[in-house]
PDB file of all heavy atoms in Angstrom:
ATOM      1  N   ALA A1260     -29.857 -30.664 -39.421  1.00 57.00           N
ATOM      2  CA  ALA A1260     -30.228 -29.462 -38.529  1.00 57.00           C
ATOM      3  C   ALA A1260     -29.695 -29.688 -37.119  1.00 57.00           C
ATOM      4  O   ALA A1260     -29.120 -28.833 -36.477  1.00 57.00           O
ATOM      5  CB  ALA A1260     -31.771 -29.218 -38.620  1.00 57.00           C
ATOM      6  N   ILE A1263     -25.981 -29.534 -36.928  1.00 59.00           N
ATOM      7  CA  ILE A1263     -25.497 -28.139 -37.105  1.00 59.00           C
ATOM      8  C   ILE A1263     -25.764 -27.336 -35.830  1.00 59.00           C
ATOM      9  O   ILE A1263     -24.884 -26.646 -35.336  1.00 59.00           O
ATOM     10  CB  ILE A1263     -26.217 -27.436 -38.326  1.00 59.00           C
ATOM     11  CG1 ILE A1263     -25.768 -28.013 -39.621  1.00 59.00           C
ATOM     12  CG2 ILE A1263     -26.022 -25.968 -38.195  1.00 59.00           C
ATOM     13  CD1 ILE A1263     -26.496 -27.627 -40.821  1.00 59.00           C
ATOM     14  N   GLY A1268     -23.201 -24.759 -31.326  1.00 53.00           N
ATOM     15  CA  GLY A1268     -23.338 -24.437 -29.905  1.00 53.00           C
ATOM     16  C   GLY A1268     -21.942 -24.201 -29.247  1.00 53.00           C
ATOM     17  O   GLY A1268     -21.752 -23.687 -28.215  1.00 53.00           O
ATOM     18  N   ALA A1282     -25.146 -22.557 -42.594  1.00 54.00           N
ATOM     19  CA  ALA A1282     -25.986 -23.719 -42.335  1.00 54.00           C
ATOM     20  C   ALA A1282     -27.361 -23.447 -42.899  1.00 54.00           C
ATOM     21  O   ALA A1282     -28.035 -24.325 -43.451  1.00 54.00           O
ATOM     22  CB  ALA A1282     -25.998 -24.020 -40.811  1.00 54.00           C
ATOM     23  N   THR A1291     -36.071 -25.546 -50.692  1.00 49.00           N
ATOM     24  CA  THR A1291     -37.040 -24.444 -51.063  1.00 49.00           C
ATOM     25  C   THR A1291     -37.115 -24.281 -52.563  1.00 49.00           C
ATOM     26  O   THR A1291     -37.793 -23.356 -52.952  1.00 49.00           O
ATOM     27  CB  THR A1291     -36.561 -23.180 -50.347  1.00 49.00           C
ATOM     28  OG1 THR A1291     -35.140 -22.922 -50.765  1.00 49.00           O
ATOM     29  CG2 THR A1291     -36.639 -23.272 -48.926  1.00 49.00           C
ATOM     30  N   ARG A1292     -36.383 -24.928 -53.337  1.00 47.00           N
ATOM     31  CA  ARG A1292     -36.394 -24.633 -54.816  1.00 47.00           C
ATOM     32  C   ARG A1292     -37.691 -24.825 -55.425  1.00 47.00           C
ATOM     33  O   ARG A1292     -38.277 -23.866 -56.028  1.00 47.00           O
ATOM     34  CB  ARG A1292     -35.339 -25.545 -55.477  1.00 47.00           C
ATOM     35  CG  ARG A1292     -33.868 -24.978 -55.292  1.00 47.00           C
ATOM     36  CD  ARG A1292     -32.929 -25.815 -56.065  1.00 47.00           C
ATOM     37  NE  ARG A1292     -31.561 -25.432 -55.727  1.00 47.00           N
ATOM     38  CZ  ARG A1292     -30.542 -26.318 -55.771  1.00 47.00           C
ATOM     39  NH1 ARG A1292     -30.837 -27.588 -56.133  1.00 47.00           N
ATOM     40  NH2 ARG A1292     -29.412 -25.952 -55.511  1.00 47.00           N
ATOM     41  N   ALA A1295     -42.379 -24.143 -52.724  1.00 49.00           N
ATOM     42  CA  ALA A1295     -42.941 -22.906 -52.256  1.00 49.00           C
ATOM     43  C   ALA A1295     -44.231 -23.168 -51.534  1.00 49.00           C
ATOM     44  O   ALA A1295     -44.566 -22.438 -50.624  1.00 49.00           O
ATOM     45  CB  ALA A1295     -43.092 -21.921 -53.335  1.00 49.00           C
ATOM     46  N   ASP A1324     -22.595  -8.177 -27.039  1.00 88.00           N
ATOM     47  CA  ASP A1324     -21.294  -8.512 -26.575  1.00 88.00           C
ATOM     48  C   ASP A1324     -20.193  -7.553 -27.080  1.00 88.00           C
ATOM     49  O   ASP A1324     -19.265  -7.265 -26.350  1.00 88.00           O
ATOM     50  CB  ASP A1324     -20.878  -9.901 -26.999  1.00 88.00           C
ATOM     51  CG  ASP A1324     -21.651 -11.070 -26.295  1.00 88.00           C
ATOM     52  OD1 ASP A1324     -22.273 -10.669 -25.230  1.00 88.00           O
ATOM     53  OD2 ASP A1324     -21.750 -12.199 -26.721  1.00 88.00           O
ATOM     54  N   ASN A1329     -16.488  -3.273 -26.044  1.00 84.00           N
ATOM     55  CA  ASN A1329     -15.991  -1.960 -26.268  1.00 84.00           C
ATOM     56  C   ASN A1329     -15.881  -1.181 -24.942  1.00 84.00           C
ATOM     57  O   ASN A1329     -14.914  -0.404 -24.707  1.00 84.00           O
ATOM     58  CB  ASN A1329     -16.810  -1.204 -27.291  1.00 84.00           C
ATOM     59  CG  ASN A1329     -16.719  -1.738 -28.726  1.00 84.00           C
ATOM     60  OD1 ASN A1329     -15.667  -2.325 -28.997  1.00 84.00           O
ATOM     61  ND2 ASN A1329     -17.676  -1.585 -29.497  1.00 84.00           N
ATOM     62  N   ASP A1348       3.751   7.110  -9.831  1.00 92.00           N
ATOM     63  CA  ASP A1348       3.758   8.005  -8.689  1.00 92.00           C
ATOM     64  C   ASP A1348       4.247   7.274  -7.426  1.00 92.00           C
ATOM     65  O   ASP A1348       4.964   7.851  -6.552  1.00 92.00           O
ATOM     66  CB  ASP A1348       2.301   8.581  -8.504  1.00 92.00           C
ATOM     67  CG  ASP A1348       1.979   9.562  -9.598  1.00 92.00           C
ATOM     68  OD1 ASP A1348       2.862   9.936 -10.364  1.00 92.00           O
ATOM     69  OD2 ASP A1348       0.776   9.810  -9.737  1.00 92.00           O
ATOM     70  N   GLU A1378      27.686  12.561  26.312  1.00 94.00           N
ATOM     71  CA  GLU A1378      27.676  11.703  27.649  1.00 94.00           C
ATOM     72  C   GLU A1378      28.962  11.587  28.312  1.00 94.00           C
ATOM     73  O   GLU A1378      29.114  11.676  29.485  1.00 94.00           O
ATOM     74  CB  GLU A1378      26.967  10.359  27.282  1.00 94.00           C
ATOM     75  CG  GLU A1378      25.464  10.461  27.032  1.00 94.00           C
ATOM     76  CD  GLU A1378      24.946   9.097  26.547  1.00 94.00           C
ATOM     77  OE1 GLU A1378      25.654   8.226  26.260  1.00 94.00           O
ATOM     78  OE2 GLU A1378      23.640   8.955  26.629  1.00 94.00           O
ATOM     79  N   SER A1382      29.952  12.912  31.859  1.00 94.00           N
ATOM     80  CA  SER A1382      30.528  12.070  32.868  1.00 94.00           C
ATOM     81  C   SER A1382      31.839  12.652  33.401  1.00 94.00           C
ATOM     82  O   SER A1382      32.103  12.662  34.655  1.00 94.00           O
ATOM     83  CB  SER A1382      30.827  10.662  32.176  1.00 94.00           C
ATOM     84  OG  SER A1382      31.448   9.819  33.147  1.00 94.00           O
ATOM     85  N   PHE A1402      38.073  24.788  57.645  1.00 93.00           N
ATOM     86  CA  PHE A1402      37.746  26.167  58.083  1.00 93.00           C
ATOM     87  C   PHE A1402      36.929  26.224  59.364  1.00 93.00           C
ATOM     88  O   PHE A1402      37.272  27.130  60.246  1.00 93.00           O
ATOM     89  CB  PHE A1402      36.955  26.883  56.949  1.00 93.00           C
ATOM     90  CG  PHE A1402      36.469  28.257  57.263  1.00 93.00           C
ATOM     91  CD1 PHE A1402      37.378  29.337  57.343  1.00 93.00           C
ATOM     92  CD2 PHE A1402      35.152  28.424  57.718  1.00 93.00           C
ATOM     93  CE1 PHE A1402      36.921  30.584  57.706  1.00 93.00           C
ATOM     94  CE2 PHE A1402      34.698  29.735  58.003  1.00 93.00           C
ATOM     95  CZ  PHE A1402      35.547  30.787  58.097  1.00 93.00           C
ATOM     96  N   ASP A1408      38.753  26.851  66.719  1.00 91.00           N
ATOM     97  CA  ASP A1408      40.003  26.956  67.493  1.00 91.00           C
ATOM     98  C   ASP A1408      40.281  28.518  67.813  1.00 91.00           C
ATOM     99  O   ASP A1408      40.712  28.888  68.867  1.00 91.00           O
ATOM    100  CB  ASP A1408      41.159  26.387  66.787  1.00 91.00           C
ATOM    101  CG  ASP A1408      41.145  24.798  66.761  1.00 91.00           C
ATOM    102  OD1 ASP A1408      40.354  24.229  67.573  1.00 91.00           O
ATOM    103  OD2 ASP A1408      41.820  24.235  65.891  1.00 91.00           O
ATOM    104  N   ILE A1413      40.365  33.263  71.213  1.00 92.00           N
ATOM    105  CA  ILE A1413      39.992  34.690  71.482  1.00 92.00           C
ATOM    106  C   ILE A1413      39.278  34.726  72.883  1.00 92.00           C
ATOM    107  O   ILE A1413      39.602  35.660  73.662  1.00 92.00           O
ATOM    108  CB  ILE A1413      39.059  35.178  70.344  1.00 92.00           C
ATOM    109  CG1 ILE A1413      39.781  35.449  69.180  1.00 92.00           C
ATOM    110  CG2 ILE A1413      38.306  36.517  70.861  1.00 92.00           C
ATOM    111  CD1 ILE A1413      38.907  35.763  67.905  1.00 92.00           C
ATOM    112  N   GLY A1428      46.370  46.795  87.786  1.00 63.00           N
ATOM    113  CA  GLY A1428      45.810  48.135  87.696  1.00 63.00           C
ATOM    114  C   GLY A1428      44.326  48.221  87.336  1.00 63.00           C
ATOM    115  O   GLY A1428      43.786  49.228  87.069  1.00 63.00           O
ATOM    116  N   GLY A1429      43.776  47.061  87.471  1.00 55.00           N
ATOM    117  CA  GLY A1429      42.316  47.058  87.297  1.00 55.00           C
ATOM    118  C   GLY A1429      41.856  47.449  85.938  1.00 55.00           C
ATOM    119  O   GLY A1429      42.274  47.030  84.927  1.00 55.00           O
ATOM    120  N   ALA A1431      41.733  50.225  84.222  1.00 52.00           N
ATOM    121  CA  ALA A1431      42.486  51.041  83.341  1.00 52.00           C
ATOM    122  C   ALA A1431      43.272  50.226  82.484  1.00 52.00           C
ATOM    123  O   ALA A1431      43.440  50.532  81.269  1.00 52.00           O
ATOM    124  CB  ALA A1431      43.293  52.097  84.227  1.00 52.00           C
TER     125      ALA A1431
END
Side-chain angles (χ1 to χ4, degrees):
I1263 290 170
T1291 58
R1292 284 186 186 145
D1324 289 346
N1329 288 336
D1348 292 344
E1378 285 176 346
S1382 177
F1402 172 77
D1408 291 342
I1413 290 171

